[in-house]
Amino acid sequence: MFELEFAGADDAAVVAAIEDGARAEAAAGARRLAAIGELKRRRVLDDDERARWACDWWDCAAAEVAAAMNISSRKASGQMRIAVALGDHLPAVAELFGRGELSARVVGAITWRTQLITDAAVWALIDRAIAKRATRWGPLGEDKLTSAVDALVLEFDAAAVMASKAVARTRDFVIGDIEDEAGTTAVWGRLSAADAAVLKKKVAAMVATVCENDPRSANERRADALGALSNGNDHLPCACESPNCPARQSKPTPKSSVVVNVYTDQATLDGLQNTAPTTPAPHTSTPAAPAPETRAVPSSAAAASRPPSAGTALLSGTEAMPTPLLTELVRAGAKLRPICTPEQDCEPESGYRPSAKLARFVQARDLTCRFPGCTSPAESCDIDHVIPYPLGATHPSNLACLCRKHHLLKTFWAGDWELKLLPDGAAVWTAPTGHTYTTYPGCRSFFPDWDTNTGDLPSPPPVETFSTDRGLMMPQRKRTRAQVRAARIKAEREQNNSPPPF
C-alpha cells in the first residue's frame, strides 16, 4: 500500500502529503485529548467520598483511558493532565493544536513546564503569549524547547518556573532506563557527599580483591563490585579461569538473598546445556548477580528443533535476556524448576492462597498485570480470584495477576469495571461504558506454542450467604489527590521564591 499510493506522484505531492499527514496527526491528537478532558470532567468528583479511596475517581477514569489507548495507567494519567491543562487553562494553545499547527511534543512541553501556575490571570496572559510564539517552536530540541517555555513563565510568574536548582538539593537513586539494552540496566542517582565517599572507597576496595588475571575492564569490575555489594558481599569474586586463583581460594562463595526469575522453554535449556562444557566454569561474568531461578515452560516440537543459539529467555517476565547470558547462569548453577501446566480436569485447591506450584504457573502464564496496557511484572502483582473466593475456586481458570491498583479497581469498582477470565487465560474487561477489552496471557508473545488452557472452572462448593460489600476495606488516602497536588505545587512555588543558600 505504501509504495503504490504515491508511486505516480511527483516530489511536491509527496512532500505535501507528509505535511498534511503531520497536521492531521496533530489535529487527531487534539481531538483525542478533548475527549479525555471531557471524560475526566464527567468522572472525577473531588467532593465524593471515593475521592479519598486509594483507587479513586481519577484512577477509574485513567483506567478507561488506558484501556481505550492500550497504554499504561501512568501514561493515561499524563494524558489526562495534558487534557486538563489545555481545557481549563490554555484555550488558545488548544485551538492551535486542534488546527494541527502544533505537534503533540510541543504541547506536552508547554503543559508540563506551566504546571506550577496557580493564578487565573497569569494563565490567561501566558496562554496568549505562548500562542503567539509556539508555532515556531517545532524545530527546537528538547532543551531549547524547555527554555522557550520557561522564558515566558519567568516573565509572568517567576515562582512557577520549574527551577533546575531543585535537582541539586534532592537525593535520588534510579534503576532502569527506557534505552537499556538487553542484559544490562542503567543505574544513576545522587547521594549525600558523605555516603558517596564511603561508597566510592568500598567499591575500590572490592575491585582490588581480584587477581591480576581477571579479564574484566576496570569499568566492568566497578559495576560488578556494586552488584556484589547489593547482595551483601564484601568482596568481588575473580572471573579468571585459573583453578588455582589465589583471590578465589582466599574468599568465601558469594552470597545472595534475592531470587531473580528467568522464564524460558525447555528446548532452549536443552540446547544450551548440550553445548555447555562438561565441567562448569567456576565463575561467570556476573558473579555477584542475584541467585537466579530458571522457570521452564513446556516446549513444542517446533521449539525443540531450534538451533542451540536460538530461543527465548525473559528476566522477571518482562525483559528479554540474551541466551549467552542464560548459558552463564545455567553453568553457574542456576536452579532449574519446570513449570507444570495444571491438568484440564485438575481439582481446585482447598484454600484461599494458591500453592507455590499454582502461583508459578499463573505468573508464568500472565507475565504481567492483566489489565489492558499495564506492564507491571506478574511477580509484583497480586494473584486475584476473578470470581471472589469462596464463590470462585482457587483454580487456574479463576486466577489472574493484577497489580495492586487494578486489583482495587476490579474489586471495589465492581459494577463499573467487570472482569471475566476464559479457560485459555484470556481476560475480558468490561468498562463502565460497556466497551470490552481483551488481554491475552503474556506468555503468548514469547512462547506461542505453550498450551495454557486449564479447562472450565469447576462448580463452587455450597457456601453460606455472605456480604460482598467491601467499601469499608478500601485503603483510604489522608488527603485527596487534588489536595496533594495543590500542596506540592504550593511547596515548589515557595522553594522557588526562597533565596539561594549562599
Side-chain angles (χ1 to χ4, degrees):
M1 171 188 172
F2 289 166
E3 297 83 359
L4 296 177
E5 182 174 356
F6 298 104
D10 58 21
D11 293 353
V14 171
V15 173
I18 295 173
E19 294 176 346
D20 292 343
R23 282 193 296 268
E25 183 178 7
R31 184 172 183 272
R32 184 187 68 248
L33 285 169
I36 291 173
E38 177 62 20
L39 181 69
K40 180 268 176 187
R41 186 187 67 80
R42 298 183 184 188
R43 293 282 192 268
V44 181
L45 307 175
D46 291 332
D47 56 352
D48 183 87
E49 63 175 356
R50 282 179 281 188
R52 290 188 179 272
W53 281 13
C55 182
D56 60 1
W57 287 103
W58 181 279
D59 287 321
C60 192
E64 290 190 73
V65 175
M69 296 181 63
N70 196 26
I71 58 177
S72 69
S73 291
R74 183 180 179 88
K75 291 182 178 179
S77 186
Q79 291 289 294
M80 290 169 62
R81 289 293 179 198
I82 295 174
V84 169
L86 291 174
D88 294 352
H89 306 300
L90 298 168
V93 173
E95 184 178 353
L96 290 175
F97 192 24
R99 295 202 301 262
E101 296 182 32
L102 298 179
S103 68
R105 183 181 73 92
V106 171
V107 170
I110 292 171
T111 54
W112 175 255
R113 302 301 297 185
T114 57
Q115 62 176 300
L116 299 185
I117 297 174
T118 56
D119 187 86
V122 175
W123 273 117
L125 291 171
I126 203 165
D127 179 38
R128 290 193 294 269
I130 290 177
K132 291 180 180 179
R133 305 185 189 183
T135 54
R136 299 188 293 273
W137 289 348
L140 298 180
E142 298 302 324
D143 291 344
K144 292 184 177 179
L145 176 57
T146 296
S147 297
V149 182
D150 286 351
L152 286 177
V153 176
L154 181 64
E155 179 180 347
F156 294 104
D157 188 356
V161 177
M162 298 177 67
S164 59
K165 66 180 181 182
V167 175
R169 60 171 173 256
T170 60
R171 296 182 302 279
D172 194 9
F173 191 75
V174 181
I175 300 176
D177 183 78
I178 58 174
E179 297 183 356
D180 286 342
E181 298 179 356
T184 63
T185 300
V187 177
W188 73 98
R190 184 178 294 275
L191 306 176
S192 69
D195 289 342
V198 172
L199 179 61
K200 184 177 181 180
K201 289 185 177 180
K202 184 163 288 190
V203 168
M206 293 177 67
V207 167
T209 61
V210 301
C211 81
E212 61 182 10
N213 295 321
D214 187 283
R216 292 167 292 188
S217 67
N219 293 342
E220 291 171 335
R221 288 196 293 270
R222 283 195 296 270
D224 290 350
L226 190 59
L229 182 63
S230 69
N231 283 287
N233 296 290
D234 59 3
H235 71 284
L236 175 62
C238 188
C240 76
E241 297 292 334
S242 172
N244 300 318
C245 173
R248 188 160 59 248
Q249 291 176 351
S250 62
K251 299 295 181 182
T253 302
K255 61 184 179 181
S256 172
S257 59
V258 181
V259 174
V260 173
N261 293 316
V262 178
Y263 296 93
T264 188
D265 57 7
Q266 189 61 49
T268 300
L269 286 176
D270 292 341
L272 296 177
Q273 290 172 326
N274 290 338
T275 59
T278 55
T279 302
H283 293 280
T284 69
S285 63
T286 54
E293 176 179 285
T294 302
R295 300 182 173 186
V297 306
S299 300
S300 66
S305 64
R306 290 194 303 254
S309 60
T312 301
L314 300 174
L315 182 62
S316 297
T318 58
E319 180 182 344
M321 172 185 285
T323 50
L325 181 55
L326 179 60
T327 304
E328 294 178 0
L329 294 178
V330 172
R331 292 169 58 190
K335 184 176 181 180
L336 303 180
R337 187 192 297 272
I339 295 173
C340 300
T341 304
E343 299 294 337
Q344 293 188 11
D345 59 350
C346 67
E347 293 296 325
E349 296 184 350
S350 57
Y352 169 77
R353 189 177 299 276
S355 65
K357 174 182 176 182
L358 179 54
R360 284 196 299 271
F361 168 77
V362 174
Q363 290 173 338
R365 179 197 67 190
D366 292 352
L367 293 182
T368 63
C369 171
R370 298 304 306 281
F371 191 82
C374 188
T375 58
S376 296
E379 295 168 13
S380 61
C381 291
D382 301 329
I383 298 181
D384 176 56
H385 288 74
V386 176
I387 301 174
Y389 182 86
L391 292 179
T394 303
H395 184 277
S397 294
N398 190 43
L399 299 175
C401 292
L402 298 179
C403 70
R404 183 56 54 87
K405 183 72 71 177
H406 293 129
H407 190 176
L408 294 175
L409 181 79
K410 175 255 180 185
T411 302
F412 296 104
W413 290 87
D416 294 301
W417 283 95
E418 299 292 344
L419 170 61
K420 180 181 180 181
L421 190 66
L422 304 183
D424 65 351
V428 182
W429 291 84
T430 302
T433 58
H435 287 83
T436 60
Y437 306 93
T438 302
T439 67
Y440 296 95
C443 66
R444 284 195 181 184
S445 298
F446 302 98
F447 311 106
D449 298 318
W450 184 23
D451 182 9
T452 57
N453 194 311
T454 52
D456 294 329
L457 186 63
S459 300
V463 295
E464 296 180 2
T465 302
F466 64 96
S467 173
T468 57
D469 183 6
R470 300 185 178 184
L472 296 178
M473 298 168 56
M474 166 66 83
Q476 298 287 312
R477 300 171 181 266
K478 293 182 179 180
R479 295 183 295 177
T480 66
R481 184 186 297 267
Q483 290 170 338
V484 171
R485 179 174 173 80
R488 181 185 64 79
I489 290 176
K490 180 182 178 181
E492 290 196 33
R493 290 178 60 86
E494 290 175 350
Q495 287 180 344
N496 290 339
N497 279 326
S498 301
F502 49 81

